[in-house]
């Protein structure tokens, strides 16, 4: 696999130039517009669903540990979806599987609106994580099959922006009404169903089978101990925050609109921070850049714990800095692992790291929920303090034990959506031309224009 220096600047320059050339960009995106619309609707509904549960659960008096278990359930379902969805697609095809996933997501959120009990919400949240992962993988599989090598970077950039915008819009919708009612559950269910329409009416042929991933911890550890350890700890901290941020914000007295901002600003800040951080990490030891982001996150953690700010503005500014750090960590870790990966294996390495992240995501909300129950709202950030301290200590030790990869041998840093909505197909979609070609050859895939229509016909 060819190593390219400073490819982050090149990729973002191409995306910018493609944006300026609106006519050319429209021609590139028109064939995949139905897929982008379907993905946007799916992420919008996911944004509504992910925020209304902790907000409504807090109103109903659910304990912090029970609300944390919602995140644990989601992570278990999401990991299971990444593993099982390829098998389902192989058995019944893309269209049927996608329809099942969207239907399950809609049924789940309506079920949660009818039965507002922790015993019902926790397992049903696992089901929603499963269905969400499967639906996202199928959309990304279609995109991956349709993009040309010359437009791959642009398409992935647009896809990332669509998803970030949709998640944020879904979360901010919560601020427009009464979270104690039925309306937001209904909105989520409606939009999950609408996500079926763009792909169901498309005439595109179904793509190749989904990317499967196997978790080989010994191989991942040999490749990069820092990546394995750090991505597990990032899973703990990011999933704990993603699940319980709204609970924390509500318990320190923020309004519903401020709670929505408290959950949304970190995601946007993390997306914006990835560009400069990616450029810097291409020019120096990525482990030191990871240390820098962990130090910023730790400083924000400690401020939340010891200062316990109550001001709306201070909380939002502080959580913006926190989000810029924690949501930039995952792509740094993946890029560092790929720097050490053998040629042609980066997609498999990224998929394995995603599974390790998922394991951390299962543990994090559970620990943070118990900590908030015992120590109050600051228990959330006490949990992230522990995760970030461990990350810093281990990374410092590894920097002293092993030298960095030469700059000329580094792979490309790639901007990523939040890892909680990343699937193995995301890694395939984000792959460079050489990596995608290697994967296609390894799986004996044909060219897109020769891909046969699957058993369920056109998309």
């Amino acid at each position: 696999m060819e190593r390219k220096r400073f490819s982050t600047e090149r990729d973002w320059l191409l995306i910018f130039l493609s944006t300026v050339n609106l006519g050319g960009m429209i021609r590139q995106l028109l064939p995949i517009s139905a897929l982008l619309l379907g993905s946007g609707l799916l992420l919008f509904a996911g944004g509504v669903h992910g925020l209304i549960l902790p907000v409504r659960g807090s109103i109903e008096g659910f304990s912090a540990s029970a609300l944390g278990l919602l995140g644990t359930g989601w992570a278990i379902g999401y990991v299971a979806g990444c593993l099982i969805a390829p098998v389902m697609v192989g058995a019944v095809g893309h269209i049927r599987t996608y329809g099942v996933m969207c239907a399950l997501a809609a049924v789940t959120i309506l079920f949660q609106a009818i039965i507002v009990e922790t015993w019902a919400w926790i397992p049903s949240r696992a089901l929603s994580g499963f269905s969400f992962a499967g639906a996202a993988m199928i959309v990304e599989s279609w995109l991956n099959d349709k993009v040309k090598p010359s437009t791959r970077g642009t398409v992935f950039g647009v896809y990332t922006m669509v998803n970030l915008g949709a998640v944020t819009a879904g979360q901010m919708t919560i601020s427009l009404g009464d979270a104690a009612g039925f309306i937001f559950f209904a909105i989520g269910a409606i939009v999950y169903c609408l996500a079926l329409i763009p792909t169901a009416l498309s005439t595109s042929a179904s793509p190749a089978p989904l990317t499967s991933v196997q978790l080989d911890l010994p191989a991942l550890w040999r490749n990069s101990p820092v990546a394995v350890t750090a991505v597990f700890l990032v899973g703990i901290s990011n999933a704990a925050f993603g699940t319980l941020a709204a609970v924390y914000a509500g318990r320190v007295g923020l309004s519903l609109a401020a709670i929505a901002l408290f959950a949304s600003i970190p995601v946007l800040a993390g997306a914006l921070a990835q560009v400069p951080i990616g450029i810097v990490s291409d020019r120096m030891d990525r482990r030191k850049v990871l240390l820098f982001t962990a130090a910023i996150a730790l400083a924000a953690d400690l401020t939340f714990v010891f200062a316990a700010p109550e001001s709306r503005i201070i909380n939002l500014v502080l959580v913006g800095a926190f989000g810029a750090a924690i949501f930039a960590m995952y792509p740094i870790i993946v890029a560092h692992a790929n720097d050490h990966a053998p040629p042609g294996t980066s997609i498999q390495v990224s998929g394995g790291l995603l599974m390790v992240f998922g394991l951390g995501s299962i543990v994090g909300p559970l620990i943070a929920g118990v900590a908030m129950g015992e120590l109050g709202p600051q228990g959330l950030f006490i949990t992230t303090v522990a995760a970030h301290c461990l990350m810093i200590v281990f990374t410092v030790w590894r920097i002293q034990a092993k030298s960095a990869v030469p700059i000329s041998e580094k792979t490309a840093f790639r901007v990523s959506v939040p890892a909680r909505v990343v699937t193995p197909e995301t890694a395939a979609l984000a792959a460079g031309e050489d990596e995608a070609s290697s994967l296609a050859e390894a799986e004996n895939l044909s060219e897109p224009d020769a891909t046969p229509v699957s058993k369920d016909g056109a998309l």
Side-chain angles (χ1 to χ4, degrees):
M1 180 177 60
E2 180 184 1
R3 305 282 183 173
K4 298 180 180 180
R5 184 178 182 181
F6 307 154
S7 59
T8 302
E9 298 99 315
R10 179 202 63 196
D11 292 344
W12 279 96
L13 179 60
L14 288 174
I15 293 172
F16 173 75
L17 292 176
S18 298
T19 304
V20 174
N21 182 9
L22 293 178
M25 190 172 187
I26 290 173
R27 286 192 296 273
Q28 291 177 16
L29 298 180
L30 190 60
I32 61 171
S33 58
L35 295 171
L36 291 174
L37 178 58
S39 178
L41 291 171
L42 184 69
L43 270 292
F44 179 93
V48 173
H49 197 176
L51 191 56
I52 189 59
L53 292 184
V55 172
R56 178 63 179 274
S58 295
I59 294 173
E60 298 292 335
F62 289 6
S63 68
S65 58
L67 293 172
L69 282 172
L70 293 177
T72 296
W74 163 270
I76 292 173
Y78 200 87
V79 171
C82 290
L83 296 174
I84 297 173
V87 179
M88 293 179 63
V89 169
V92 302
H94 289 74
I95 291 177
R96 292 186 180 93
T97 305
Y98 186 75
V100 167
M101 297 300 181
C102 289
L104 281 176
V107 167
T108 299
I109 191 171
L110 291 175
F111 172 78
Q112 291 165 337
I114 295 170
I115 304 179
V116 186
E117 300 287 347
T118 55
W119 61 264
W121 278 22
I122 293 169
S124 62
R125 188 58 174 153
L127 184 60
S128 65
F130 173 84
S131 58
F132 191 91
M137 286 187 73
I138 292 169
V139 169
E140 290 169 354
S141 175
W142 262 307
L143 285 172
N144 189 47
D145 196 68
K146 292 185 69 65
V147 296
K148 299 177 181 179
S150 59
T151 62
R152 180 176 291 274
T154 301
V155 168
F156 182 69
V158 171
Y159 172 74
T160 301
M161 288 187 287
V162 167
N163 285 353
L164 288 171
V167 169
T168 303
Q171 291 177 330
M172 291 306 300
T173 301
I174 303 298
S175 65
L176 302 178
D178 182 8
F182 179 77
I183 182 66
F184 293 115
F185 293 89
I187 289 173
I190 289 170
V191 180
Y192 275 134
C193 292
L194 289 176
L196 280 165
I197 297 175
T199 51
L201 295 180
S202 173
T203 58
S204 298
S206 296
L210 300 188
T211 300
S212 297
V213 61
Q214 295 181 348
L215 180 56
D216 187 348
L217 277 176
L220 286 173
W221 183 265
R222 289 192 299 270
N223 181 66
S224 175
V226 164
V228 174
T229 303
V231 83
F232 179 76
L233 294 170
V234 167
I236 290 176
S237 65
N238 290 21
F241 178 79
T243 301
L244 295 167
V247 179
Y248 173 89
R251 293 190 177 182
V252 297
L254 297 186
S255 65
L256 185 58
I259 291 173
L261 287 171
F262 194 86
S264 301
I265 286 176
V267 177
L268 296 178
L272 294 174
Q274 287 182 45
V275 179
I277 286 176
I279 292 172
V280 173
S281 76
D282 280 342
R283 301 184 180 186
M284 62 183 294
D285 188 344
R286 295 196 205 273
R287 295 172 299 180
K288 294 181 180 179
V289 181
L290 180 62
L291 278 179
F292 173 73
T293 57
I296 292 177
L298 181 59
D301 294 333
L302 294 172
T303 304
F304 276 118
V305 171
F306 292 108
E310 297 180 359
S311 165
R312 178 176 183 268
I313 297 299
I314 293 176
N315 270 291
L316 294 181
V317 170
L318 193 58
V319 83
F322 178 78
I326 68 167
F327 289 118
M329 290 179 183
Y330 182 79
I332 295 172
I333 294 167
V334 172
H336 173 71
N338 286 331
D339 288 343
H340 294 270
T345 64
S346 65
I347 295 175
Q348 292 85 345
V349 169
S350 299
L353 290 176
L354 175 61
M355 293 297 101
V356 178
F357 176 90
L359 295 177
S361 299
I362 293 171
V363 176
L366 177 60
I367 296 174
V370 172
M372 291 181 74
E374 296 294 328
L375 305 172
Q378 283 70 35
L380 169 60
F381 291 101
I382 292 173
T383 303
T384 58
V385 163
H388 295 144
C389 283
L390 289 173
M391 188 188 308
I392 290 171
V393 170
F394 188 83
T395 304
V396 168
W397 173 62
R398 290 300 302 173
I399 289 174
Q400 295 174 344
K402 187 174 182 179
S403 58
V405 172
I407 293 177
S408 60
E409 297 180 9
K410 285 188 171 184
T411 58
F413 176 93
R414 294 189 179 91
V415 174
S416 173
V417 293
R420 290 189 77 194
V421 294
V422 170
T423 74
E425 282 294 335
T426 312
L429 180 61
E433 179 179 351
D434 295 336
E435 297 166 301
S437 299
S438 298
L439 182 65
E441 293 173 3
E443 297 181 351
N444 294 318
L445 300 179
S446 59
E447 292 297 322
D449 59 358
T451 301
V453 177
S454 71
K455 65 180 73 178
D456 52 357
L459 167 60

